[in-house]
Amino acid sequence: MSKKNKGNDFLVQGSILAAASLIVRVIGLVYRIPMNNILGESGMGLYSMAFEIYNLGLILSSYSLPLAVSKMVSAKITLKEYKNVKRIMLCSLTFAIVAGGLMSAILFFGSDLIAKYIFATPAMAYPLRHLAPTIFVFSVMGVIRGLFQGQGTMIPTSISQIIEQIINAIVSVALPAYIVHRYVSDPQVSAYAAAGGTTGTFMGALASFLFLIVVYGMYRPIFRRQIRRDKTTEVDSYQNIFQVMILTIIPVILSQTVYQISGTLDSSLFSHIIGAKGVLSSKIQSLYGIYSGYYRLLTNVPVAIASALGTSAIPTIVASRIKKDDDAVQHEIRSTIKFNMLIAIPSFVGMSVLAEPILAILFPAAGKLAVKCLTIGSIAIVFFSLSTVSSAILQGIDLMKLSVINSAISLGIHVVLVVIMLQFMNLGVTGLVIGNVTFALVVCILNWRSIGKALGYKQEVKTTFVLPALCAAIMGIGCKIIYVAMMYVTNITLISFILAFLVALIIYGTMLLLFQVLTEEEILEMPLGRSMHKLLVKLNVF
């Protein structure tokens, strides 16, 4: 397969997963609007705190399984060793059942202690207890997702994510609404409603898992034929597979734990430091709900693309390294980063300049503090996108330990900064936002330094960063002018925003072509690239 075809394949697969991730995020935004209104800022604070510790438990137990399984499966499929793929699956499932089951039990039975001593918010135990069983479901489901991803197809994972989010959305709105109506006079109604929201996460995961079981059942006859045709005479021992799996999983766990623990520490530090200043628990929950329910939720939408592209790039990078095709590895890295920045940079600019109408449309209850957080903190989209992809690249070239070290260094700096901003500068939620930005910035700087040393790799700067930033800046100015003008004429936020958004797309696309940011080859490699290329030829662009 040519380098061009390889690039096209992993970008297409990455784009499938990215598209699904965006659909999932959009559904998430849509259902979070009524859910936020039902729970209120206090309930959303409890909901978000529960998710911080749940995500940490998921990472410690099984979050890394899809990545590890896809990497190991990809390596064996490249060598056509299907008997070893079967053994990898058996080992992975055993690990998932044990690790997922144990972590679910710890969070379920330890929810009261965690809520009281780590978050200083006893009511958080209710939503955490309802989230706990979800870890076990995700553990087993992750193995199946990893199998398909390792074979270079993101379709089962993508569809399962959409199903998961649809069910999650339905339950997460309907159940809290019923609970609030049923227990409206109960002082713990916010905690009960937050628990109803987390129940939606479990139901969504369960529906997704059942879908993947059906898909795997359809694929199983093909897998069996591949095993029968496998000419491998010596298979890997289960002990060796477990060792490789653990060595693959541990760096990912450590790296992702550092990422996640930054959010958990933020929540814990915020609760304790602000609480020590005499702020009531209900107010702390509301403030943290603004940070996590508005700012983090919205900025995570574009970052989902980076996560999807990084996930899809790993099997391709592994396969290219096994074949000792260094040119292909560098091409895949370069293409992934450039495609990522073409989306992340304008997303940051657009979200920053249009923060007020975005929040007004999606979350009418959001106030000026939420607007301030989104305006100053949107730059994190670029840094988290870069750090996410760079961590995936380090995973693909067997240097995940460097990502762990880099993330740990950044975490140390992050904690010091957050404590200073909360304790001595009294920045409150704004301090959390600044800490979030600086954490991602330090990680991506250190990661790119590690990649450069390991591969002698240098990312092309002009068309990857400089020109997209210039195009996005022009776009930002244009869409802001249009929005302000339309608000002056109509005074209708939704109409003004939609027109400004459409104008932004046109300006950004035009600027990319005007400054020749993309070559013909790069356009052809992109998803729907041939159709776009034909249109551009007709318009005499090429």
Side-chain angles (χ1 to χ4, degrees), residues 306-438:
S307 180
L309 288 174
T311 299
S312 67
I314 287 177
T316 312
I317 291 173
V318 170
S320 297
R321 282 178 62 81
I322 288 174
K323 295 174 182 177
K324 302 186 184 301
D325 191 347
D326 293 336
D327 288 341
V329 171
Q330 298 229 359
H331 175 75
E332 286 144 15
I333 293 173
R334 189 171 296 108
S335 300
T336 303
I337 295 303
K338 185 170 183 176
F339 189 58
N340 213 312
M341 289 300 97
L342 288 174
I343 297 171
I345 293 173
S347 296
F348 140 61
V349 173
M351 199 166 287
S352 181
V353 300
L354 296 177
E356 187 174 359
I358 288 172
L359 285 165
I361 293 167
L362 296 177
F363 305 107
K368 291 182 179 180
L369 180 57
V371 174
K372 180 182 178 183
C373 289
L374 192 58
T375 301
I376 67 174
S378 294
I379 184 66
I381 292 169
V382 176
F383 300 145
F384 270 109
S385 295
L386 279 172
S387 61
T388 299
V389 172
S390 59
S391 293
I393 291 168
L394 288 171
Q395 162 75 1
I397 61 176
D398 295 320
L399 289 176
M400 197 62 180
K401 63 181 180 181
L402 292 179
S403 178
V404 176
I405 294 170
N406 296 339
S407 298
I409 292 171
S410 181
L411 180 63
I413 297 171
H414 172 79
V415 170
V416 172
L417 285 175
V418 168
V419 170
I420 290 172
M421 288 186 288
L422 293 179
Q423 182 70 49
F424 303 106
M425 299 175 68
N426 294 317
L427 291 179
V429 174
T430 307
L432 292 183
V433 172
I434 296 171
N436 186 59
V437 172
T438 54

Side-chain angles (χ1 to χ4, degrees), residues 321 330 333 393-394 397 399 402 406 445-459:
R321 282 178 62 81
Q330 298 229 359
I333 293 173
I393 291 168
L394 288 171
I397 61 176
L399 289 176
L402 292 179
N406 296 339
I445 289 173
L446 295 176
N447 278 359
W448 281 112
R449 183 169 171 268
S450 299
I451 292 170
K453 282 187 174 182
L455 299 177
Y457 175 81
K458 289 185 178 181
Q459 182 72 33

Side-chain angles (χ1 to χ4, degrees), residues 478-501 503:
C479 71
K480 184 68 174 181
I481 291 172
I482 294 296
Y483 174 74
V484 172
M486 287 301 298
M487 281 297 291
Y488 179 78
V489 173
T490 67
N491 199 32
I492 301 175
T493 303
L494 181 59
I495 293 176
S496 302
F497 172 77
I498 291 174
L499 186 59
F501 178 77
V503 169

Side-chain angles (χ1 to χ4, degrees), residues 44-84:
M44 283 305 302
L46 293 173
Y47 179 88
S48 300
M49 288 178 182
F51 260 93
E52 292 290 357
I53 200 70
Y54 158 78
N55 286 332
L56 182 59
L58 186 64
I59 287 167
L60 289 172
S61 60
S62 55
Y63 177 84
S64 54
L65 270 177
L67 278 174
V69 172
S70 70
K71 183 177 179 182
M72 295 171 70
V73 168
S74 175
K76 295 304 178 184
I77 285 179
T78 301
L79 301 173
K80 299 188 182 301
E81 296 180 2
Y82 295 101
K83 292 177 183 176
N84 281 325

Side-chain angles (χ1 to χ4, degrees), residues 152-173:
T153 175
M154 303 296 162
I155 295 174
T157 295
S158 300
I159 296 175
S160 70
Q161 287 179 341
I162 294 171
I163 292 172
E164 174 189 332
Q165 191 71 327
I166 290 172
I167 301 300
N168 183 9
I170 295 170
V171 178
S172 293
V173 172

Side-chain angles (χ1 to χ4, degrees), residues 31 41 52 57 129 140 168 170 178-179 194 196 199 207 212 257 286 303 328 342 393 408 435 447 527 532:
Y31 87 77
E41 289 177 353
E52 292 290 357
R129 207 156 29 235
V140 181
N168 183 9
I170 295 170
Y178 169 76
I179 290 171
T199 301
L212 286 171
T257 297
S286 297
V303 176
L342 288 174
I393 291 168
N447 278 359
M532 285 190 288

